[in-house]
Each structure stands twice: as C-alpha cells, then as structure tokens.
Amino acid sequence: MSAKTAASAGIAERPAGGTAPAGETGEPIWDIIELLFFAYRDFVGDPDEVLSKLGFGRAHHRVLHFVNRNPGMKVADLLDILNITKQSLGRVLKQMVDQGFVQQKEGAQDRRQRLLYVTPKGEALALKLAGLQTVRINRAFGELGPGAHEAARRFLTAMIDTDSREHVLRLIARADRAAKRG
Amino acid sequence: MSAKTAASAGIAERPAGGTAPAGETGEPIWDIIELLFFAYRDFVGDPDEVLSKLGFGRAHHRVLHFVNRNPGMKVADLLDILNITKQSLGRVLKQMVDQGFVQQKEGAQDRRQRLLYVTPKGEALALKLAGLQTVRINRAFGELGPGAHEAARRFLTAMIDTDSREHVLRLIARADRAAKRG
DNA sequence: CAAAATATGTCAATATGGCTGACATAAATA
DNA sequence: TATTTATGTCAGCCATATTGACATATTTTG
C-alpha cells in the first residue's frame, strides 16, 4: 500500500555507521536492481501486447520508435543506436517496409543512402505505443507529485554510461527539435 | 486502476497549442521513454559481458538472481516471477544445475517439490553481477546527491503495474529478510 | 484405497531475433 | 581507374522463447 511500504522494504542500508559515500561498492543495492527489472518489464509489456497482435515484436518497436523520432535517419545511424548487425536489422526493417509502416528514400546528396521515414500508418502505430507508455509514466508522476519528471530524468540519465551519455542526450534533443518542426 | 483510464489509450491527438501539464496524456513523454531504454540497456550490459564469457545469457542471470535472493523457492514460484514457460526455464535451469551454480533439493513437507538454492559458486557469481550493477547505481546516486536512492525507489515502484506492485514489494522485502538471516 | 489433482520434467516442433561470414551493387571519393 | 562506403542479401548458427503432448512422483480428495 502506501508508498512508505516501499521505503521500509528498503534495505541495502549499510552496516551501521554508514552514509556510504557514493562510489563505494559495499552491499548490492537489491531494491533498485529488482525494481528496475520489474518496472522495465511492465514498461515494455504494454506495447508488446499491441505489437504481438500485428505479428511484431520488440525489435519492430525499437525500429519504429527511432525512425519516427528521427525522420530521415540513415540505416547506419539506426544500427549504431540499436547496436545490432545490419542483417538483424534488415529482416525486421524489410517487414515494416513491406507492410507499409516504414518508407525508404534515396538520399539527396548521397544517393547510396536509403533514408528512413515512417509512413502515416507507421506514425500512428508509433504514437499509439508511446501513448501506452506515457499513460504509465503519467500515472507514476501523478502519484509522486511535482518534481517527479525532473527527478526521473536525472536518475535515468545518471544510469547511462558516462561515455555515451552526451550522445544520448543530443539524440533526444535533436529528435525533439525535429518533432517540433514536423 | 487509475483514474484517467488510459485516456483514450493515449496519444495522438494533441490539439495544437499546449504545454500539456503533467498528468495529462496529451503528448508522449519522449525523454523518459528513451532514457529508460538507454539506461536499461547499459544496466544489463555490464552483467551481460561477464555472463557471455561463461556461455550464459540474460536468462541465466535472471534465474541466478532470483534463486540467490530467494533461497529454497519452488520452481513454480520462479516461473511466476520470470513469466516464462517451464520448458524455457527447464533448459536454462538444467545448465546451471549441471555446471554447479544451482542446486535442487527435495521439499521437506512436499516431496514433489524441487526447491532451488544457489551453491557457493552460484552465490559468488550472483554477487559479482549484482556488484557491477551496484557500482553503476552508486555512481548515479553519487552524482545526484542525497535523496537519490529514495527518489529512484519511488519512481521505479510507481512504474510497476498497480496490480503486481504489492506483490513485488513483498517479494523484495521477503528476500531482504532472508538475506539478513543468511 | 482409488481417483484426481499437483509439481515437476521432458520430447518435439516452431518462432523470433540476435550472430558471423561471404558476397553483390551502386555511388562517392581518392 | 581504383578504392572505399552505404546498403542489401544469402546461408547458416545460436539463444531463448513458444505450444502441445505426455511421463512420473506425490499429495489430496471422494
């Protein structure tokens, strides 16, 4: 019940004395480890249901999401983000193109490129999936009160590899600007 | 569950104009959606490296983690948590038993049960993996300052399905007590 | 006690989404 | 022209998930 329960479920507190300055590796932080597992499981669970009815999986979701957010991106860029091989991407991408969710256009300057765009149908699906996740996030923020969004953003950002953090933030910012133009 | 019922399942329409105050379902909350994706990717990435050297995958990690945290759990309980079929679990579990990471003992009261325990070798691996994740979490908390742990816990808890939330919290709390006894 | 339900295991077939390696094509570039 | 780049594709392998059917031991129930 109350949010307090979670707190008392807490643990991982260091053996007396503590304050355990950050950076120390003492005892595993079990609560966050497990909560992250369950939270992520539910977070991707909503879209998964919708996707499975279309014969799609999580891989399709990732492709659709990033193409929708970054219209005109190169195949190579998508491969970098998803961190998979072109063969793996190829199979999934082909399905989405064949079924009219994603479209490929020859690059204007460099005609070797096959720039990726979502179709209206693809955008509708992308927004439907993001909407399901947004409902969950908004419900959470609603329970947590003001400042929750900022706190979540800071926590999640800090959890990303320091090396790639800047890259990720730029990606998100760039996509936001693209969305506003669109 | 929830007021704001999935608000028309989310999305799409965001009739011109507005700033969408939090709590409303208008526009997708892209930053959290994407940060969660990248944060989780890195979070599971650390263990993945270690596991792959042992010929194990993420499935093995999940089994090892929960058995370590809940010594003596039934196979059925593990199936519930992981939400997979017994056939899927069977293969992974067999490997871990064969290689001496997990042990099965006949239930005392109910001799049909094969209660699950980690071996010392299994516990060492579980702690090694949790340690990697803890380093990341502690680094994040260190960057964020005091209150970060509590804030993260509250956020992640709120992201879990309302139905299963209590169950998850009980699971975590129970495992903590078990750990302290051990 | 016999019958039914339960906990677990296993065989077989199938799907998804990763992977590697090799090779092909078109276009840009040195 | 020769090379590199961007992309695609074929073929096969692996890990992890699925469903369905069936087996075994044990507990519970009528």
Side-chain angles (χ1 to χ4, degrees):
Chain A
M1 330 193 238
S2 75
K4 280 285 154 84
T5 314
S8 46
I11 27 105
E13 60 221 68
R14 6 269 95 210
T19 43
E24 194 165 282
T25 312
E27 195 173 344
I29 304 182
W30 295 118
D31 63 341
I32 301 297
I33 290 174
E34 298 200 341
L35 286 172
L36 207 33
F37 170 80
F38 289 109
Y40 195 78
R41 176 128 102 45
D42 290 348
F43 177 68
V44 295
D46 293 331
D48 279 357
E49 272 185 65
V50 173
L51 289 159
S52 70
K53 288 173 191 159
L54 296 169
F56 289 158
R58 210 168 289 172
H60 300 85
H61 187 189
R62 293 196 287 263
V63 169
L64 184 67
H65 172 91
F66 285 107
V67 172
N68 176 58
R69 285 277 288 166
N70 304 277
M73 74 189 309
K74 291 188 296 175
V75 170
D77 293 338
L78 188 51
L79 288 175
D80 277 350
I81 291 175
L82 300 181
N83 205 26
I84 58 175
T85 60
K86 62 179 173 178
Q87 294 90 332
S88 297
L89 174 59
R91 193 172 1 92
V92 171
L93 191 54
K94 189 173 190 308
Q95 290 176 274
M96 308 211 72
V97 170
D98 288 349
Q99 296 184 43
F101 290 92
V102 172
Q103 197 183 350
Q104 290 177 291
K105 293 181 190 173
E106 199 171 65
Q109 304 108 335
D110 189 333
R111 286 170 32 229
R112 288 171 304 181
Q113 298 173 346
R114 296 298 131 83
L115 306 184
L116 301 169
Y117 297 86
V118 289
T119 62
K121 182 180 171 187
E123 185 182 18
L125 180 56
L127 288 176
K128 179 172 184 176
L129 300 175
L132 289 174
Q133 298 184 312
T134 296
V135 166
R136 177 179 299 273
I137 296 168
N138 272 332
R139 189 205 60 201
F141 288 170
E143 292 176 17
L144 298 175
H149 190 155
E150 177 65 16
R153 178 165 41 221
R154 278 163 43 85
F155 166 63
L156 294 174
T157 301
M159 287 290 287
I160 296 173
D161 279 354
T162 37
D163 325 19
S164 51
R165 203 180 292 177
E166 214 187 314
H167 180 257
V168 167
L169 293 178
R170 261 188 282 112
L171 181 73
I172 294 177
R174 194 173 74 82
D176 283 332
R177 288 197 303 277
K180 274 173 187 154
R181 280 197 307 274
Chain B
M1 315 171 199
S2 111
K4 299 198 186 263
T5 40
S8 65
I11 19 102
E13 54 218 290
R14 36 111 41 337
T19 42
E24 196 164 281
T25 311
E27 196 171 345
I29 304 181
W30 295 118
D31 63 341
I32 301 298
I33 291 174
E34 298 200 342
L35 286 172
L36 208 32
F37 170 79
F38 289 109
Y40 195 77
R41 179 129 99 49
D42 290 347
F43 177 68
V44 295
D46 294 332
D48 279 357
E49 272 185 65
V50 174
L51 289 160
S52 70
K53 288 173 191 158
L54 297 170
F56 289 159
R58 211 169 288 172
H60 301 84
H61 188 188
R62 292 195 288 264
V63 169
L64 184 66
H65 173 91
F66 285 107
V67 172
N68 177 57
R69 284 276 288 166
N70 303 277
M73 75 189 309
K74 292 187 294 176
V75 170
D77 293 337
L78 189 51
L79 288 175
D80 277 350
I81 291 176
L82 300 183
N83 205 26
I84 57 175
T85 60
K86 63 180 172 179
Q87 293 89 334
S88 297
L89 174 60
R91 190 182 5 91
V92 171
L93 191 54
K94 189 174 190 308
Q95 289 175 276
M96 307 211 72
V97 170
D98 287 350
Q99 296 184 44
F101 290 91
V102 173
Q103 198 182 349
Q104 290 178 292
K105 293 182 190 172
E106 198 171 67
Q109 306 108 335
D110 188 335
R111 281 164 42 223
R112 290 170 303 181
Q113 299 172 345
R114 298 296 130 84
L115 306 183
L116 300 170
Y117 298 86
V118 289
T119 62
K121 182 181 171 187
E123 184 182 18
L125 180 56
L127 288 177
K128 178 173 187 176
L129 300 175
L132 290 175
Q133 298 184 313
T134 296
V135 166
R136 178 179 298 272
I137 295 168
N138 272 332
R139 190 204 60 200
F141 288 170
E143 292 175 17
L144 298 175
H149 190 155
E150 175 66 13
R153 176 163 45 219
R154 276 166 42 88
F155 167 62
L156 294 173
T157 302
M159 287 289 289
I160 297 173
D161 280 353
T162 37
D163 324 17
S164 50
R165 203 179 290 175
E166 214 188 316
H167 179 255
V168 167
L169 293 177
R170 260 188 283 112
L171 181 73
I172 295 176
R174 193 173 73 81
D176 283 333
R177 288 196 302 278
K180 274 173 184 159
R181 279 197 308 274

